[in-house]
Amino acid sequence: MTWASIDLNADLGEGFGHWRLTEDEELLSVVTSANVACGFHAGDAATMRRVCAWAAERGVRIGAQVSYRDLAGFGRRPMEVPSDELAAEVAYQIGALEVFAKAAGARVAYVKPHGALYNRVVHDEEQAGAVVEGVRLTGERLPLLGLPGSRLHGMAEKAGLPVVTEAFADRAYTVEGTLVPRGQEGAVITDPATVVERAVSMARFGVVTSLDGQSIGVRARSLCLHGDTPGAVGLARRVRGRLEASGVRLEAFV
């Protein structure tokens, strides 16, 4: 399925203390939705407050990017967390971000898992259910952003929560439509021209070329660009400009 409009999201607020990884203010002038780190893989109170204020000023939707508690590994290391504990930690992260979103005159509009948790809930029904339960604990029907056909989306739909399909212009895909693991060669696409072309192909035609050269269907309501990619701001501007020049309207999904 293709869309007359599409959302462009990026992972933001991925700093901690004096360390800053993402060019948050600049990226917020390009994207329509911001996945804000909530302190477990990156981010802290001051960073969350700052990014929420900037996002609200620009009309960018604020999403809680929840993860395993793994600052040292940037949330990209597989972890075994009991379901009840994970549900509580997801709710905790959403609640922390909501304080700063409300202070900025906005709200947390959706939830997106990060890193190892994102990949885990594609296939793991128990962990997916824990993430969904964490969202339900907040008392809000927040949409869950994730891969099409994932266990996360299946469990969310069962619980009556909205789901939003996502694709990655700068990540390689398997023929099954899942992301190639980061440890594998070619998993991250760094050539700007290739990233731009893939973004347009996904947005306009709903297809992308897999790592082994096959054309696969990708149903995406939102496209993600990673904020920690070198030259992320320039790349995001190129992607947005090319999408708009191709007749695709950029707007948030919520």
Side-chain angles (χ1 to χ4, degrees):
M1 179 182 294
T2 56
W3 306 88
S5 65
I6 201 160
D7 174 66
L8 190 63
N9 77 74
D11 302 341
L12 301 179
E14 292 183 325
F16 192 84
H18 294 296
W19 174 64
R20 296 189 186 183
L21 179 63
T22 49
E23 298 178 80
D24 298 324
E25 191 169 14
E26 293 83 357
L27 282 166
L28 283 165
S29 68
V30 182
V31 300
T32 51
S33 295
N35 318 315
V36 184
C38 299
F40 272 38
H41 75 281
D44 57 22
T47 302
M48 285 190 279
R49 182 182 184 185
R50 182 171 57 247
V51 174
C52 284
W54 285 337
E57 288 172 1
R58 292 159 176 78
V60 174
R61 300 300 185 268
I62 297 169
Q65 188 166 41
V66 299
S67 72
Y68 289 126
R69 188 188 294 269
D70 181 27
L71 275 175
F74 198 60
R76 287 179 174 161
R77 299 184 294 189
M79 302 185 76
E80 297 299 327
V81 181
S83 295
D84 58 345
E85 183 177 333
L86 180 58
E89 291 188 339
V90 166
Y92 179 92
Q93 292 175 78
I94 297 169
L97 188 64
E98 178 70 0
V99 169
F100 300 114
K102 283 186 175 180
R107 64 185 180 88
V108 171
Y110 65 95
V111 176
K112 175 183 173 179
H114 165 81
L117 182 58
Y118 187 98
N119 293 324
R120 182 73 172 268
V121 298
V122 172
H123 304 292
D124 190 319
E125 187 168 294
E126 183 178 345
Q127 294 280 278
V131 172
V132 170
E133 179 59 22
V135 175
R136 293 182 65 201
L137 283 171
T138 69
E140 301 290 338
R141 293 186 67 255
L142 297 173
L144 278 153
L145 184 60
L147 282 186
S150 63
R151 295 292 186 187
L152 177 68
H153 278 183
M155 297 298 289
E157 289 174 334
K158 286 182 181 179
L161 297 179
V163 301
V164 181
T165 54
E166 178 180 39
F168 295 79
D170 56 2
R171 289 293 308 278
Y173 279 80
T174 68
V175 292
E176 290 81 19
T178 59
L179 299 179
V180 173
R182 278 184 173 268
Q184 188 173 332
E185 185 177 353
V188 180
I189 299 165
T190 57
D191 176 60
T194 302
V195 173
V196 171
E197 290 302 324
R198 288 166 69 88
V200 173
S201 178
M202 288 189 244
R204 291 196 62 200
F205 309 113
V207 297
V208 71
T209 302
S210 69
L211 187 61
D212 64 359
Q214 297 188 50
S215 180
I216 61 171
V218 176
R219 298 175 291 109
R221 179 64 185 86
S222 182
L223 289 179
C224 177
L225 291 173
H226 287 92
D228 60 342
T229 301
V233 175
L235 179 58
R237 286 173 177 156
R238 285 185 62 176
V239 168
R240 177 163 187 151
R242 183 64 180 279
L243 286 170
E244 291 177 329
S246 300
V248 179
R249 187 172 70 256
L250 274 292
E251 71 176 4
F253 57 82
V254 288

